[in-house]
Amino acid sequence: MTNVLFDALTATAPGRLWLETHDGRRLTYGDLYTLTGQMAQVLVEAGVRPGDRVASNVEKSPEALALYLAVVRTGAVFLPLNTAYTAAELAYFLGDADPVLFVTDPSRVAEAEGLAAATRGGCRVLTLGTDGQAGSLLTAAMGRRAAFETVSRGPDDLAAILYTSGTTGRSKGAMLSHRNLLSNALLLKDHWRFTADDVLLHALPIYHTHGLFVASNILALAGGSMIFLPRFEAGAVLDALPRATTMMGVPTFYTRLVREPRFNRETTGHLRLMISGSAPLLAQTHAEVEGLTGHRVLERYGMTETNMNTSNPYEGPRIAGTVGPPLPGVELRLTDPETGAVLPVGEIGMIEVRGENVFRGYWRQPEKTAAEFRTDGFFITGDLGVIGHDGYVTIVGRGKDLIITGGFNVYPKEVEEAIDALPGVIESAVIGLQHPDFGEGVTAVVVASPAAGLSEKGIIAALESQLAAFKRPKRVLLVESLPRNAMGKVQKAQLRDRYAGLYSG
Ligand code: AMP
């Protein structure tokens, strides 16, 4: 039996170290393999069949990462969800993806049972905890033998669905096949020269493509190990850095680290590579990191739907402010966003990509899928960019108005809808403004009826039960009216200019 992704990710000798945690636990690749077999048995007993979705909304832990591989091993489809999501948000994902099993943190089991009961297909609930709270999934798994007959899966079978925020305020599930994930991890491993000697400092969340696939898939393919931290916390990262050979981060990691006196040549002396992605790294941060440590950060560009598309080179110039040339095997072109005509080098246009890395479409959304692919198979990313004569790509903006705050994507529309639903609000416009810590700060410009007596604090508090913390506005500005063009469209660019310095003072 072959299972394309699982077999490749578990080919390392069992005695080798897979990861060590912040509290000193050390798990080998043999431990990982055993855990996936034990968990897979529990999953099958809970009714998981090949092609079924298994939703996971649990805190980061080695077992949470093993769950991803256990799901793939059963032939099912892994569906990770951000633990910051509210019950209302989770209800949407469960309703849309129709999972047969929902794995949740023990502290949220009552809520999860309620959500599962409301789904069409009658979803089961199991729990997986951290810090000594094993939960029902792991407790059951511990009683099982290691042997499990891996379910056969081919390259075009789905391995995961990751939800991306939608421009219309509704998230879409990006369907990723075994081939999509494996081909990209293989080429990144080679491109960035990962080997069994590597130790990756892993402080990213594991419900997003960056920490889940880019980081952990590459290391598993290379047979290297990870220092697995529950989250980014500058002190813990600096404690671990001297033992790491590589680090992957979002730009916020680097903007925070450069403020730390311990971030210097000594603590980073053992590192061979620092990688940044998920949002633009300021050229200034790039220069500050180099000044303090001597390392030139390698910036790359990708997205949930496409895995990684471009990367600055390992050898050769890493140019600040660019995301480098397309990766080998990834075709990238720039087109006129209106006509789709391919543009010559040097002109700004819509970035389109094609290759084994590109996803299989949006879950149960054939029209949306069709709208985002050209007939020749190129995917329209929604990012605007330009290609230089050296072949390097620079991202110049986002056609879709996405806000990226601390590495997380926030689509204004979703936040606007939540604000507009509050009593007394007439309308709102949500924009991203440059923020020294988060890259961009979610900012709401709100028109309210004076009689309602709404305040900035009141609006932020009212959104608490509606939106995950990272989506809530950092500031709410109450105004009398929104600027509009002749067609009635709100002029967000004008708002961004007007409030540009809001977070810099
Ligand atoms: P996600 O699907 O959450 O990974 O978000 C993907 C989006 O993040 C892309 O479409 C880009 O807009 C943005 N992005 C990712 N990496 C970079 C980068 N290095 N520079 C600028 N934007 C980036």
Side-chain angles (χ1 to χ4, degrees):
M1 291 286 182
T2 54
N3 179 309
V4 171
L5 184 62
F6 180 80
D7 294 348
L9 295 179
T10 54
T12 301
R16 290 198 64 94
L17 185 67
W18 172 46
L19 59 74
E20 63 172 88
T21 63
H22 64 296
D23 50 5
R25 292 171 63 206
R26 292 166 67 85
L27 281 81
T28 64
Y29 280 92
D31 295 330
L32 170 64
Y33 193 79
T34 300
L35 202 49
T36 62
Q38 292 170 317
M39 282 181 163
Q41 288 174 59
V42 180
L43 297 179
V44 170
E45 282 162 27
V48 174
R49 300 287 171 265
D52 285 345
R53 276 76 54 212
V54 176
S56 164
N57 186 42
V58 301
E59 298 300 335
K60 183 176 177 183
S61 70
E63 289 75 17
L65 191 53
L67 174 61
Y68 147 52
L69 291 177
V71 170
V72 172
R73 193 171 181 186
T74 64
V77 181
F78 187 60
L79 170 57
L81 295 166
N82 186 338
T83 44
Y85 284 138
T86 63
E89 288 164 327
L90 293 174
Y92 167 73
F93 295 117
L94 298 186
D96 190 59
D98 243 343
V100 297
L101 177 66
F102 179 30
V103 184
T104 187
D105 189 84
S107 66
R108 292 180 82 174
V109 68
E111 174 191 87
E113 299 273 10
L115 290 167
T119 59
R120 278 175 304 239
C123 170
R124 294 273 307 268
V125 173
L126 289 173
T127 61
L128 182 62
T130 50
D131 298 330
Q133 268 216 300
S136 56
L137 169 60
L138 193 60
T139 304
M142 288 297 123
R144 300 296 191 285
R145 300 213 336 265
F148 177 83
E149 192 171 337
T150 303
V151 175
S152 189
R153 288 275 101 176
D156 291 324
D157 287 320
L158 294 191
I161 294 178
L162 262 59
Y163 274 85
T164 71
S165 301
T167 40
T168 53
R170 275 303 185 196
S171 294
K172 292 172 285 187
M175 300 189 288
L176 295 154
S177 69
H178 283 239
R179 188 204 306 273
N180 295 152
L181 297 178
L182 181 58
S183 65
N184 204 240
L186 280 170
L187 77 85
L188 293 173
K189 171 179 85 77
D190 291 343
H191 205 73
W192 296 335
R193 311 279 195 275
F194 274 86
T195 71
D197 294 329
D198 272 306
V199 180
L200 176 82
L201 196 148
H202 191 306
L204 292 159
I206 56 167
Y207 47 74
H208 181 267
T209 185
H210 195 168
L212 179 63
F213 298 139
V214 183
S216 70
N217 283 355
I218 292 177
L219 264 289
L221 282 180
S225 68
M226 300 188 278
I227 302 172
F228 209 59
L229 303 180
R231 68 192 67 80
F232 180 88
E233 197 269 301
V237 166
L238 286 162
D239 289 344
L241 265 184
R243 288 178 292 124
T245 63
T246 49
M247 174 163 95
M248 289 184 195
V250 295
T252 309
F253 285 18
Y254 297 101
T255 53
R256 290 190 182 170
L257 283 172
V258 294
R259 286 189 238 134
E260 298 286 327
R262 277 202 289 152
F263 190 59
N264 55 31
R265 280 169 195 267
E266 208 183 319
T267 40
T268 61
H270 191 54
L271 282 180
R272 66 171 183 86
L273 182 61
M274 290 189 212
I275 300 174
S276 178
S278 292
L281 182 77
L282 293 176
Q284 185 197 334
T285 313
H286 194 279
E288 283 170 346
V289 173
E290 186 172 18
L292 292 170
T293 67
H295 287 279
R296 286 184 71 77
V297 177
L298 183 156
E299 185 170 7
R300 89 314 179 265
Y301 155 67
M303 61 197 297
T304 302
E305 290 96 324
T306 63
N307 297 287
M308 300 306 106
N309 296 313
T310 74
S311 170
N312 271 280
Y314 188 76
E315 278 143 24
R318 297 178 193 165
I319 303 179
T322 83
V323 293
L327 286 158
V330 177
E331 293 174 83
L332 184 147
R333 69 186 183 194
L334 291 184
T335 60
D336 180 319
E338 300 299 322
T339 65
V342 178
L343 297 172
V345 166
E347 281 190 36
I348 291 176
M350 176 61 70
I351 299 176
E352 298 186 5
V353 293
R354 183 167 73 177
E356 292 196 323
N357 54 310
V358 177
F359 75 136
R360 311 233 26 221
Y362 294 112
W363 172 254
R364 292 183 178 166
Q365 305 239 35
E367 295 85 22
K368 284 201 175 133
T369 303
E372 302 210 7
F373 279 92
R374 303 278 180 208
T375 45
D376 60 3
F378 273 85
F379 172 65
I380 307 163
T381 62
D383 290 314
L384 300 172
V386 59
I387 306 179
H389 286 284
D390 52 8
Y392 281 49
V393 177
T394 301
I395 314 266
V396 296
R398 294 183 298 270
K400 295 175 183 170
D401 252 348
L402 175 74
I403 300 170
I404 303 188
T405 181
F408 293 118
N409 289 356
V410 177
Y411 280 87
K413 181 97 180 172
E414 188 185 4
V415 185
E416 287 162 7
E417 280 174 358
I419 295 174
D420 293 351
L422 300 175
V425 170
I426 297 168
E427 61 172 348
S428 64
V430 169
I431 51 174
L433 296 177
Q434 200 171 22
H435 189 291
D437 198 15
F438 294 102
E440 286 183 295
V442 178
T443 309
V445 186
V446 176
V447 183
S449 95
L454 290 176
S455 68
E456 174 170 22
K457 268 196 176 153
I459 292 176
I460 294 174
L463 295 172
E464 250 171 49
S465 61
Q466 304 294 312
L467 297 170
F470 70 89
K471 295 182 191 169
R472 281 177 230 145
K474 304 258 175 299
R475 291 289 313 269
V476 172
L477 306 163
L478 288 155
V479 297
E480 281 182 11
S481 64
L482 297 176
R484 288 194 141 81
N485 71 5
M487 304 298 291
K489 286 197 207 306
V490 175
Q491 300 295 280
K492 287 197 171 174
Q494 215 171 306
L495 287 175
R496 280 191 283 259
D497 286 346
R498 190 187 300 168
Y499 300 112
L502 191 66
Y503 298 108
S504 55

